[in-house]
Amino acid sequence: MTTSGSATPLAIVRHEGETPRERSACGWRELLISRQDSDAPAWVHAVDIDGAKLHYHKRATELYYVLDGDGVLLLDGVEHAMRTGSVALIPPGVVHGAKGRMRVLVVGIPDIGDDDFFLAAEE
């Protein structure tokens, strides 16, 4: 986001519970920084994992940080135990999904648009 006639990005401060919430491929997400912020270099969502579908991105990298709970993160077919305080770096092309009861802070770099989301064939 920039000010009119300025190339200086605006700082963004948001509070959970005061931003849009929607269903996603991973569960319910709170759009902390997202598509409503056209000039943001990344997006940040707080996600309640619920029936996450295996998927991948061709351009974007994702960071998952577990805020609360525990479960499993599947990365290219390998299960990784996750718990409060765990972090995962997911490069482009890695098929991933999660299961369990976790609240995860997900950061997409750059912003992950609908054109960079691909469902993976489930085995």
Side-chain angles (χ1 to χ4, degrees), residues 1-117:
M1 294 174 33
T2 58
T3 56
S4 180
S6 170
T8 304
L10 294 176
I12 299 171
V13 175
R14 298 241 167 77
H15 306 280
E16 241 183 294
E18 299 176 7
T19 57
R21 183 172 167 83
E22 67 182 18
R23 185 80 169 132
S24 74
C26 295
W28 287 95
R29 65 183 173 193
E30 180 124 7
L31 308 179
L32 300 171
I33 298 174
S34 197
R35 62 183 164 267
Q36 73 268 21
D37 305 299
S38 60
D39 291 345
W43 60 244
V44 180
H45 297 162
V47 180
D48 293 310
I49 298 297
D50 177 19
K53 297 176 181 169
L54 289 175
H55 66 280
Y56 63 97
H57 311 284
K58 291 182 179 178
R59 293 183 308 272
T61 294
E62 280 188 292
L63 297 170
Y64 280 32
Y65 180 78
V66 180
L67 299 167
D68 188 46
D70 56 66
V72 172
L73 180 63
L74 193 65
L75 300 173
D76 278 343
V78 178
E79 290 190 355
H80 300 272
M82 301 291 283
R83 62 184 182 280
T84 301
S86 296
V87 66
L89 173 72
I90 307 169
V94 172
V95 174
H96 57 283
K99 57 186 175 183
R101 299 196 52 87
M102 296 182 285
R103 183 152 180 84
V104 179
L105 186 69
V106 181
V107 179
I109 307 163
D111 180 13
I112 300 171
D114 292 338
D115 65 339
D116 192 26
F117 176 86

